[in-house]
């Protein structure tokens, strides 16, 4: 009981930090509540796309949008690099972009690390709305802790999931690699959202462990 209460208090602290950074945050105790909340943000008939994320799949959001009344922009159907670029150009102008955050600080800063940069690009600018599903297991003290968490605890299982040969896929910890299969090319810290785009980024904090 006390752990649950502490989690709720921690979430409220993060939400206050997000507010001063022109982002919105809500807390949902369960995956089911998080799914309901996420869908309440998305208008039927709107265009929806996403960045690589286990979290949005784990709460059922991927299945819900694919089976719902939405215009889906899915880069996974691309057969080559040129088709990926064409689909990405549409994703940048989507109504809704779905993703998670690799880490989030107690003060409301977002830490994300990408291989190609398509996900962090859409986070920082482009789609009208960004909806993030973030399990409370991704909460860290500060940006430095967040980067360490992503590189040592999120990247290794992700490289294994993607079947990539990297130092972290063999040792379970960051090897600070520069190889062609490295997935840590872009490190982006979202300190705030500009006032002109206030509320564009909505973070749904979930009181369960999600993703890596």
């Amino acid at each position: 009981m006390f752990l649950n209460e502490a989690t709720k208090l921690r979430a409220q602290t993060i939400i206050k930090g997000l507010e001063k950074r022109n982002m919105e945050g809500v807390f949902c105790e369960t995956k089911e509540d998080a799914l309901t909340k996420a869908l309440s943000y998305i208008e039927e008939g709107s265009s929806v796309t996403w960045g690589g994320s286990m979290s949005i799949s784990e709460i059922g959001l991927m299945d819900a949008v694919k089976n719902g009344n939405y215009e889906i922009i899915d880069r996974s159907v691309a057969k080559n690099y040129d088709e990926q670029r064409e689909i990405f150009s549409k994703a940048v102008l989507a109504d809704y972009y779905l993703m998670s955050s690799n880490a989030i600080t107690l003060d409301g800063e977002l830490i994300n690390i990408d291989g190609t940069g398509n996900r962090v690009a859409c986070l920082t600018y482009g789609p009208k709305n960004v909806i993030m599903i973030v399990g409370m297991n991704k909460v860290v003290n500060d940006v430095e802790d967040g980067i360490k968490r992503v590189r040592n605890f999120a990247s290794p299982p992700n490289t294994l999931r993607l079947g990539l040969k990297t130092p972290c896929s063999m040792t379970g910890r960051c090897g600070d690699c520069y190889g062609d299969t490295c997935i840590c090319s872009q490190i982006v810290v979202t300190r705030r959202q500009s006032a002109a785009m206030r509320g564009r980024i909505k973070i749904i904090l979930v009181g369960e462990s999600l993703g890596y």
Side-chain angles (χ1 to χ4, degrees):
M1 179 181 72
F2 295 116
L3 283 173
N4 289 339
E5 288 304 311
T7 297
K8 292 177 185 178
L9 290 171
R10 193 174 299 114
Q12 292 307 313
T13 296
I14 295 169
I15 289 168
K16 289 178 182 178
L18 291 169
E19 289 172 353
K20 73 179 181 183
R21 300 174 188 280
N22 296 326
M23 295 182 280
E24 295 180 11
V26 295
F27 175 70
C28 294
E29 291 192 44
T30 67
K31 296 174 185 176
E32 293 77 16
D33 290 342
L35 174 59
T36 299
K37 187 64 179 177
L39 291 174
S40 75
Y41 287 138
I42 307 173
E43 295 183 14
E44 288 196 1
S46 59
S47 57
V48 182
T49 189
W50 52 83
S53 168
M54 294 295 293
S55 300
I56 60 176
S57 294
E58 288 174 10
I59 71 165
L61 185 54
M62 288 289 291
D63 289 338
V65 296
K66 286 182 177 180
N67 295 318
N69 182 24
Y70 309 104
E71 177 192 341
I72 299 300
I73 303 170
D74 185 357
R75 66 189 176 97
S76 70
V77 302
K79 298 182 181 66
N80 52 52
Y81 180 69
D82 287 337
E83 287 189 12
Q84 283 183 349
R85 282 181 54 81
E86 184 178 347
I87 293 173
F88 179 70
S89 69
K90 297 176 182 178
V92 170
L93 297 176
D95 295 317
Y96 296 91
Y97 192 80
L98 312 178
M99 62 180 292
S100 185
S101 185
N102 294 136
I104 184 169
T105 72
L106 286 167
D107 201 34
E109 291 175 286
L110 309 174
I111 301 100
N112 285 280
I113 297 181
D114 259 11
T116 60
N118 63 291
R119 187 175 61 104
V120 294
C122 286
L123 167 63
T124 58
Y125 190 82
K128 289 181 182 178
N129 301 279
V130 176
I131 300 173
M132 308 182 82
I133 308 297
V134 184
M136 291 296 288
N137 55 304
K138 296 185 176 182
V139 176
V140 294
N141 287 326
D142 52 35
V143 171
E144 183 179 358
D145 283 347
I147 293 174
K148 289 178 180 177
R149 179 197 181 278
V150 180
R151 298 184 78 171
N152 289 290
F153 295 99
S155 293
N158 265 318
T159 54
L160 291 170
R161 175 176 65 87
L162 297 169
L164 301 176
K165 264 196 172 182
T166 62
C168 70
S169 72
M170 293 180 280
T171 66
R173 62 171 295 180
C174 180
D176 196 25
C177 66
Y178 292 88
D180 291 341
T181 54
C182 176
I183 64 170
C184 297
S185 302
Q186 312 286 339
I187 300 176
V188 172
V189 177
T190 305
R191 179 176 172 271
R192 64 185 292 274
Q193 178 72 84
S194 70
M197 295 187 285
R198 186 188 306 272
R200 169 180 172 267
I201 299 175
K202 296 175 176 60
I203 295 94
I204 301 175
L205 298 168
V206 187
E208 299 187 33
S209 182
L210 296 174
Y212 301 133

